[in-house]
């Protein structure tokens, strides 16, 4: 490698680094607009099959199908907002009962555990459990607050959704074209991911509701949202009901145990057996890339960024792999660059 080529490579690396930093800064400062826009894009891809079904089976004109689908999406957002609002209000009203039950649980735990064997004084246990409770409820509060913030900007999401759906209905890509192939892959991935996550959320919510756990539907909604975060999300959504379950005096000991075993089993079956078979190679991301995506979008967009991180990176990989110039980057995101290069040499 001569000096000129080395200098060009160094310049390219520096330009890529500066471009990445500039994109990160832009994403951070434009997050009030970009988050609703990204959500609107995902909603459009999720609702596109409903538009196509109305045109194909009900013989609706496409503009009428778009209008009815927009009304359907708006009604869904409104119902989710009502659900979260009612559940948060219920949790606020029962805060005193939770606090009293928590104190009783602390006292019973301190009396039964042999704390002296582990070098822990009985007076230190309330402080340790207080930290655990504040951490868990604080994370739950941040997730609910982030979702409420997005839903409070629902009007902006709906406006973006109207323009995107109107534009997509006016322009149709040619069958088999580059745009048609990319849109087909993206629609398939997003719709499949939403259906799998929705099934998980419904099963978890119904399980907790049948067991008599308060805020069961909110925990089901959180299971749906956190399922977009690989591995970590399923664990967090299983542990989130712990404070409410443990502090509910109406629940028996077997019901409290089942409130953790059954949702955990559902998360395990969906995450390790059902989702890989349904998704196939639609995700196809290296675990390190997924982790870096969670860190990056979590830093700039918070909890909502962590939820959207994996779908954004997956869609980016789908787009990049369809272009010859950027195909190596897509293979790098999938962790297959080295194997492909070795195959090409042989």
């Amino acid at each position: 490698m001569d000096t000129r080529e080395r200098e060009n490579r160094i310049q390219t690396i520096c330009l890529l680094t500066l471009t990445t930093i500039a994109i990160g800064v832009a994403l951070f400062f434009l997050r009030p607009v970009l988050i609703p826009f990204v959500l609107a894009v995902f909603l459009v891809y999720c609702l596109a099959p409903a538009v196509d079904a109305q045109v194909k089976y009900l013989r609706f004109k496409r503009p009428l199908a778009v209008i009815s689908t927009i009304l359907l999406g708006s009604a869904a957002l409104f119902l989710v907002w009502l659900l979260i609002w009612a559940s948060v209000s219920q949790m606020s009203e029962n805060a005193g009962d939770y606090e009293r039950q928590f104190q009783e649980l602390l006292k019973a735990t301190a009396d039964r555990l042999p704390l002296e064997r582990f070098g822990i004084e009985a007076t230190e246990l309330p402080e340790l459990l207080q930290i655990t409770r504040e951490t868990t409820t604080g994370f739950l509060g941040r997730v609910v607050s982030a979702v409420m913030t997005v839903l409070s900007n629902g009007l902006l999401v709906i406006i973006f959704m109207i323009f995107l759906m109107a534009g997509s209905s006016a322009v149709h890509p040619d069958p088999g074209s580059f745009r048609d192939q990319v849109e087909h892959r993206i629609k398939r991935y997003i719709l499949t991911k939403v259906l799998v996550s929705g099934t998980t959320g419904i099963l978890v919510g119904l399980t907790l509701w049948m067991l008599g756990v308060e805020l069961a539907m909110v925990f089901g909604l959180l299971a749906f949202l956190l399922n977009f975060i690989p591995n970590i999300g399923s664990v967090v959504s299983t542990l989130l009901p712990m404070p409410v379950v443990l502090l509910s005096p109406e629940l028996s000991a077997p019901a409290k145990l089942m409130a953790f075993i059954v949702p955990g089993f559902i998360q395990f079956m969906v995450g390790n057996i059902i989702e890989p078979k349904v998704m196939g190679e639609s995700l196809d991301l290296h675990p390190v890339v997924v982790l870096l995506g969670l860190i990056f979008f979590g830093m700039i967009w918070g909890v909502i960024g962590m939820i959207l991180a994996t779908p954004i990176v997956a869609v980016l990989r789908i787009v990049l792999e369809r272009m010859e110039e950027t195909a190596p980057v897509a293979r790098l995101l999938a962790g297959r660059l080295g194997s492909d290069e070795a195959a090409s040499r042989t």
Side-chain angles (χ1 to χ4, degrees):
M1 181 184 298
D2 57 8
T3 305
R4 183 62 179 175
E5 185 178 354
R6 186 183 300 108
E7 291 177 353
N8 290 335
R9 177 168 295 186
I10 293 175
Q11 291 177 0
T12 302
I13 295 174
C14 293
L15 288 174
L16 288 175
T17 304
L18 293 175
T19 303
T20 303
I21 295 174
I23 292 175
V25 172
L27 291 175
F28 177 78
F29 285 104
L30 295 176
R31 65 188 184 279
V33 177
L34 288 179
I35 292 178
F37 177 77
V38 173
L39 289 173
V41 171
F42 283 122
L43 281 175
V44 168
Y45 280 115
C46 292
L47 296 176
V51 176
D52 297 336
Q54 293 178 66
V55 173
K56 182 177 181 180
Y57 299 108
L58 301 180
R59 304 300 180 183
F60 284 1
K61 297 294 184 181
R62 185 163 289 271
L64 179 60
V66 169
I67 293 175
S68 62
T69 305
I70 290 174
L71 294 176
L72 177 65
S74 303
L77 287 176
F78 181 70
L79 290 177
V80 171
W81 183 86
L82 283 181
L83 171 65
I84 296 179
W85 180 264
S87 301
V88 171
S89 300
Q90 179 185 1
M91 187 168 54
S92 301
E93 293 175 359
N94 298 334
D97 296 335
Y98 292 149
E99 185 68 25
R100 183 169 55 256
Q101 184 69 13
F102 183 73
Q103 296 299 331
E104 294 176 0
L105 180 63
L106 280 181
K107 186 176 182 303
T109 304
D111 293 337
R112 294 179 182 178
L113 292 179
L115 302 176
E116 294 78 8
R117 296 181 180 179
F118 302 98
I120 301 176
E121 298 293 336
T123 55
E124 298 177 359
L125 183 63
E127 182 179 355
L128 295 176
L129 295 182
Q130 180 76 13
I131 295 174
T132 304
R133 184 191 65 165
E134 291 177 353
T135 302
T136 306
T137 56
F139 181 81
L140 174 60
R142 286 193 295 271
V143 173
V144 174
S145 176
V147 175
M148 288 294 292
T149 300
V150 173
L151 292 177
S152 64
N153 295 327
L155 180 60
L156 189 58
V157 176
I158 293 173
I159 292 174
F160 283 139
M161 187 172 63
I162 292 174
F163 280 99
L164 289 172
M165 295 192 73
S168 62
S169 63
V171 180
H172 304 284
D174 296 329
S177 63
F178 171 78
R179 178 183 170 184
D180 181 67
Q181 294 177 9
V182 171
E183 286 193 357
H184 177 73
R185 290 285 303 276
I186 293 176
K187 287 180 182 178
R188 180 178 177 274
Y189 166 73
I190 293 179
L191 186 60
T192 304
K193 186 64 178 178
V194 170
L195 290 177
V196 171
S197 300
T199 302
T200 304
I202 291 173
L203 292 177
V204 171
L206 287 177
T207 300
L208 297 177
W209 176 74
M210 293 175 63
L211 292 173
V213 178
E214 295 182 2
L215 310 178
M217 293 299 104
V218 171
F219 291 126
L221 176 62
L222 293 176
F224 162 71
L225 295 175
L226 293 173
N227 194 62
F228 287 90
I229 304 177
N231 302 323
I232 303 174
S234 59
V235 176
V236 173
S237 63
T238 303
L239 297 179
L240 274 180
M242 181 181 293
V244 176
V245 171
L246 294 178
L247 302 180
S248 296
E250 297 85 3
L251 295 179
S252 61
K256 292 181 179 181
L257 186 61
M258 293 296 292
F260 295 111
I261 293 178
V262 177
F265 177 76
I266 293 173
Q267 295 280 5
F268 175 81
M269 292 295 294
V270 172
N272 295 277
I273 298 178
I274 298 176
E275 185 171 349
K277 291 184 178 180
V278 174
M279 298 294 292
E281 295 184 355
S282 297
L283 185 60
D284 197 18
L285 293 174
H286 195 274
V288 175
V289 174
V290 174
L291 179 61
L292 293 176
L294 291 175
I295 295 173
F296 177 74
F297 285 99
M299 290 177 60
I300 62 176
W301 287 355
V303 177
I304 294 297
M306 296 180 66
I307 295 173
L308 296 175
T310 303
I312 290 176
V313 178
V315 169
L316 181 63
R317 188 196 64 81
I318 292 173
V319 175
L320 293 177
E321 74 174 354
R322 289 293 175 174
M323 293 183 288
E324 184 178 354
E325 297 80 4
T326 57
V329 180
R331 293 195 297 269
L332 179 63
L333 294 177
R336 292 185 282 104
L337 184 60
S339 59
D340 287 358
E341 286 183 351
S344 63
R345 290 174 183 174
T346 56

